[in-house]
């Protein structure tokens, strides 16, 4: 599939993880403004460091659109106390997303329940998935009346144990069907090309998400060959093997008209570069390779 | 799901990659015999080094069962010349598997077509998958009359670009449906827990494979958290997060009665240990953790 038209430069957004090693929150906001990047998607730890209210104000001053807030989730826990702690923390994340005026709260749903030292303490993947479904349903009761859409991000299967046990868009759609059959946009999905590009049912599941008004966010980067690190070796669009324009065509065909967000974790390359160069490259590659 | 009974020690097989850094082919065969491991699954490069005929003879002398031969596949190529080279090489792999008396030839189907330097030279994943389907169909015309079953091994999605674009058991079953609807056992699948443990449809697809007489091999190891290397950081059963007994229950429930093969690539741990210790550990962990 090819996109109907080139990417719209005014709909580029920067996920703040992309330059997190070089810049603090204020510098990232100013960087976006300086480079004419109109969307931003901040991470909680970076916002906490800069202050929530101050960050919200800076973002407003510069007229940036908060295309998503990263992140809530991590629902599975060994016991009720752990699940309650996750619930409370997720409610705070909703509150923060509201304060920032975010378009959605991104949910990285969590993997297997962990012990006190953060190690997986169960092999019951089906059980973890049930906890995720229940956790999303419960958080939705809080987020829907508050007006904050929740966006489930299916993560690549290589993160099933430790980060997210929702590993395909089909699974995310199933959870939406089950806990939010209303199709009112209160619960949806993130399409991050890094996580879903390999999926043989990708086109079908993107169309399904679109038909139910669930396309809340679209993240781009690239898959490098070889990949040197499971977590922090993502590539810039055009440097890897993902057909990024092909996936854009799918989400646009399915009705998505929102921002496209660049999110790159790259310990040995982009996190080591001059952040102004990174932002300039994001703009060029968004235009030419997405 | 829990297995109906403990694993049968006489149905343990050693994939020769597990001690490939320490021992040559002859030493591995002797090691299996010494440790009472009755199955072996050799790799082509190790066999080539030791000599095909000599290896076949040694294996027969020791009465080992060749539970699989690793590996054919790598079907996609940029042009007809490349695909013909793959076809010819795969026919040789079938011939070798026959000479060894292997129960199946394992197919790692290949990812995106590569250029002369071995780098991905296309982003057309659907096209690669079509080449795989065609390549399997063509090889089957050679292997079926020769009596060598072909076993498609779905690989983890993190290998989609460079090793195998068949990334779920569902996809492998679809290919079998399409090119071998006869269900005569000439084409089937490998269930390697490392590649498929995360799949939400695993139980359903194993049952489907079993119902069509396609369960040709079962590989075990474990998924470590964290995983330090995308390729060579597999764990010994019991050291990671995979519910290995649960998956054994699924394959047995689906009718599989063959050997269970330990296949561990482990640059920083098992490949550095005394190979006799590795084999002894495989036996214990097969009994206690699978």
């Amino acid at each position: 599939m090819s996109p109907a038209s080139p990417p719209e430069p005014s709909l580029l957004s920067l996920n703040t993880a992309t330059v997190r090693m070089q810049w603090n929150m204020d510098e990232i906001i100013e960087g976006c403004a300086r480079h004419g990047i109109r969307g931003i998607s901040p991470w909680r730890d970076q916002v906490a460091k800069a202050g929530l209210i101050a960050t919200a104000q800076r973002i407003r001053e510069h007229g940036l659109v908060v295309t998503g807030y990263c992140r809530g989730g991590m629902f599975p826990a060994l016991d009720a106390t752990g699940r309650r702690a996750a619930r409370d923390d997720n409610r705070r994340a909703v509150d923060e997303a509201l304060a920032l005026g975010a378009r959605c709260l991104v949910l990285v749903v969590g993997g297997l329940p962990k012990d006190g030292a953060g190690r997986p303490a169960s092999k019951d993947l089906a059980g973890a998935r049930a906890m995720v479904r229940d956790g999303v349903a419960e958080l939705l009761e809080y987020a829907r009346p508050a007006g904050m859409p929740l966006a489930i991000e299916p993560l690549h299967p290589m993160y099933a144990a430790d980060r997210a046990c929702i590993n395909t868009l089909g699974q995310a759609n199933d959870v939406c069907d089950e806990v939010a059959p209303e199709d009112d946009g209160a619960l949806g999905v993130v399409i991050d090309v890094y996580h879903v590009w390999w999926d043989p049912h990708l086109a079908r599941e993107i169309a399904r998400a679109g038909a139910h008004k669930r396309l809340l966010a679209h993240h781009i980067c690239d898959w490098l060959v070889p990949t040197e690190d499971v977590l922090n070796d993502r590539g810039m669009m055009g440097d890897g093997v993902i057909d990024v324009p092909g996936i854009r065509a799918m989400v646009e065909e399915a009705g998505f008209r929102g921002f496209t967000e660049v999110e790159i974790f790259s310990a040995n390359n982009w996190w080591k570069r001059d952040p102004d160069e990174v932002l300039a490259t994001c703009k060029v590659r968004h235009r030419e390779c997405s």
Side-chain angles (χ1 to χ4, degrees), chain A residues 108-122:
Chain A
V108 171
V109 299
L112 296 164
K114 296 184 167 102
D115 64 19
R119 289 175 301 235
S122 157

Side-chain angles (χ1 to χ4, degrees), chain A residues 60-162:
Chain A
R60 268 196 307 276
E61 281 167 12
H62 286 286
L64 302 182
V65 174
V66 180
T67 57
Y69 187 45
C70 295
R71 52 182 166 77
M74 299 294 164
F75 297 102
L78 274 184
D79 55 24
T81 308
R83 288 190 290 278
R84 212 155 39 230
R87 182 199 66 187
D88 294 346
D89 189 56
N90 278 320
R91 288 181 177 180
R92 283 192 293 274
V94 169
D95 295 343
E96 293 163 23
L98 287 163
L100 291 166
R103 293 204 169 170
C104 63
L105 174 64
V106 173
L107 299 181
V108 171
V109 299
L112 296 164
K114 296 184 167 102
D115 64 19
R119 289 175 301 235
S122 157
K123 300 184 183 190
D124 181 6
L125 197 56
R129 286 167 173 161
M131 285 191 244
V132 165
R133 180 203 57 210
D134 295 346
V136 170
E138 187 180 17
L139 187 61
L140 193 59
E141 289 175 21
Y142 184 84
R144 177 183 269 134
M148 179 49 59
L150 301 178
I152 299 172
E153 182 166 6
L155 252 55
H156 195 283
M158 68 188 176
Y159 304 123
D162 49 353

Side-chain angles (χ1 to χ4, degrees), chain A residues 170 172-183 187 208 212 214:
Chain A
N173 272 323
D174 287 346
V175 171
C176 291
D177 278 353
E178 197 171 349
V179 310
E182 302 88 344
D183 289 350
L187 182 64
R208 177 180 165 202
H212 292 272
R214 289 176 194 153

